Amino acid sequence: MITIIGAGKVGSSAAFNILGRRISDVVLVDIAENLAVGEALDMMQAAPAIEFDGKIKGTSDYSEMRGSDLVIVTAGFPRQPGMSRIDLVNKNAKITKTITREVVKHAPECKLMIVSNPVDLMTYVAYKESGFERNRVFGMGNILDTLRFRSYIAAELGVSREDIRGLVIGEHGDSMVPLVNFASVSGIPITTLLKDEQIEKIVNLTKTSGADVIKLKGSTVYAPAAVISIMADAVLTGRNRVMSVCAYLDGEYGLRDLAIGVPCVLGKKGVERIIELRLDAEAKREFEKSASVIKETKEKMDTSD
Ligand code: NAD
């Protein structure tokens, strides 16, 4: 069973993706009880059309997550006018801590996937607060950036999006690192198919892609919801998918006490393995810069109750 905490735009849309792919039963928890119950009811009524016969329940009662294999946290607030970035970090850190305590109480054996932003820091907060083994706490960020990277490469080449493979690592934010040398079209390096200017355009589009959507419609929904279901599928079925996951590092890439996006094997235990890439000098420098961006905010973050 999967519990999604936060039945807002991303949480409810992720739930519908999970049901549509028949990955698991879903419990939706939100402090706004009517919202959670209403979303679940709406989805239950769609269930005959999407051929889903399992359970979908909406509630404000955290104890309903009992027995969950995977708990996904999509509860958090976007930045309000006049609110600084660090104010937002502190506000969402408090929510993440509160929710993590409930998770520890009611689903102590689960894997915990964080989506709330800034996801690298919220994953760190959840890991520290939970006391879980580090493989069980991870975040969704760079897989979404990778999806966007793949989409823009496909558009530039005029080929199927399915045939594009790629990786984005680092912060899920402005300092992300799309790895050009690891991107391919069915194994053919994109560097042999595209000119430098085309690649630069794709990298820039990837970096601004989230903000581009937010500028137009206020928040991103379908893309994050779709990748949440891919990660959920990897964990529930144990398919050992390889993707960029926000993982807590303890020496990998020369970094400690930090959660950041790196390629991982995602399976039944959560992060089954962290893959250490041999990065070229430029990518290494950019990744280190990205890590220092996360570290700086981490040091300013208020983690008191
Ligand atoms: P939203 O405002 O639509 O939904 C958030 C929901 O969380 C609300 O319904 C609210 O009632 C609920 N909530 C708040 N505190 C709660 C608590 N303590 N317990 C249970 N529920 C609680 O927002 P959204 O657009 O769905 O985005 C949710 C979060 O996901 C934001 O932090 C957003 O930045 C983040 N996000 C992350 C990614 C990513 O790639 N990691 C992508 C998109 C959105």
Side-chain angles (χ1 to χ4, degrees):
M1 182 177 96
I2 293 176
T3 293
I4 300 181
I5 304 182
K9 293 180 285 297
V10 172
S12 55
S13 185
F16 197 55
N17 270 266
I18 289 167
L19 301 186
R21 297 169 63 126
R22 293 180 213 100
I23 295 168
S24 161
D25 292 350
V26 173
V27 172
L28 264 176
V29 184
D30 200 294
I31 40 171
E33 185 169 22
N34 282 350
L35 177 70
V37 173
E39 289 289 359
L41 187 61
D42 198 5
M43 285 181 224
M44 190 271 284
Q45 292 166 6
I50 60 170
E51 296 170 23
F52 176 74
D53 281 323
K55 170 179 151 183
I56 165 76
K57 176 165 187 154
T59 179
S60 62
D61 181 357
Y62 286 114
S63 71
E64 294 277 358
M65 75 173 94
R66 196 163 290 125
S68 295
D69 304 292
L70 175 66
V71 175
I72 304 169
V73 183
T74 56
F77 288 98
R79 191 147 72 176
Q80 313 286 324
M83 194 188 232
S84 72
R85 195 177 140 77
I86 193 71
D87 286 344
L88 176 74
V89 169
N90 291 338
K91 193 168 172 184
N92 282 347
K94 281 205 173 25
I95 295 173
T96 303
K97 275 181 89 172
T98 308
I99 291 172
T100 303
R101 285 184 196 142
E102 297 290 339
V103 172
V104 172
K105 190 165 16 156
H106 301 294
E109 305 299 326
C110 76
K111 269 76 64 185
L112 179 55
M113 188 206 295
I114 306 298
V115 176
S116 319
N117 272 324
V119 70
D120 305 289
L121 291 166
M122 296 308 115
T123 302
Y124 178 84
V125 168
Y127 167 66
K128 288 286 171 182
E129 189 65 31
S130 67
F132 288 177
E133 304 84 357
R134 67 175 172 139
N135 58 291
R136 287 206 281 145
V137 187
F138 49 89
M140 185 288 278
N142 283 160
I143 179 188
L144 174 57
D145 304 320
T146 300
L147 207 74
R148 291 161 170 164
F149 190 36
R150 287 172 60 190
S151 303
Y152 289 122
I153 295 170
E156 193 65 25
L157 284 167
V159 300
S160 168
R161 299 179 185 110
E162 193 185 327
D163 292 332
I164 312 292
R165 288 286 166 251
L167 278 171
V168 178
I169 60 171
E171 182 204 19
H172 174 56
D174 298 343
S175 73
M176 71 177 75
V177 189
L179 292 175
V180 171
N181 289 335
F182 286 86
S184 77
V185 186
S186 294
I188 308 160
I190 63 160
T191 47
T192 64
L193 300 172
L194 291 165
K195 297 195 187 81
D196 288 352
E197 314 85 82
Q198 289 175 295
I199 292 177
E200 199 183 325
K201 184 175 92 181
I202 291 165
V203 166
N204 289 336
L205 276 171
T206 304
K207 288 188 180 182
T208 61
S209 51
D212 292 341
V213 176
I214 291 169
K215 229 182 280 162
L216 293 166
K217 59 172 270 198
S219 60
T220 62
V221 182
Y222 300 115
V227 286
I228 289 169
S229 74
I230 289 173
M231 291 178 75
D233 176 69
V235 175
L236 269 276
T237 59
R239 287 178 66 200
N240 286 357
R241 298 284 311 267
V242 178
M243 61 184 82
S244 274
V245 174
C246 175
Y248 181 84
L249 301 189
D250 188 21
E252 297 85 2
Y253 290 90
L255 296 168
R256 271 180 213 288
D257 200 34
L258 191 77
I260 187 168
V262 286
C264 293
V265 178
L266 195 66
K268 272 257 177 271
K269 293 185 192 145
V271 176
E272 303 272 348
R273 202 159 72 236
I274 293 170
I275 299 170
E276 287 199 70
L277 300 172
R278 254 192 253 160
L279 298 173
D280 60 49
E282 192 187 339
K284 192 164 181 288
R285 204 169 39 246
E286 282 186 42
F287 181 66
E288 282 164 1
K289 200 169 111 207
S290 194
S292 66
V293 168
I294 300 173
K295 254 192 235 161
E296 264 171 42
T297 319
K298 190 189 97 178
E299 270 143 34
K300 286 189 214 138
M301 182 167 64
D302 176 8
T303 51
S304 63
D305 282 328

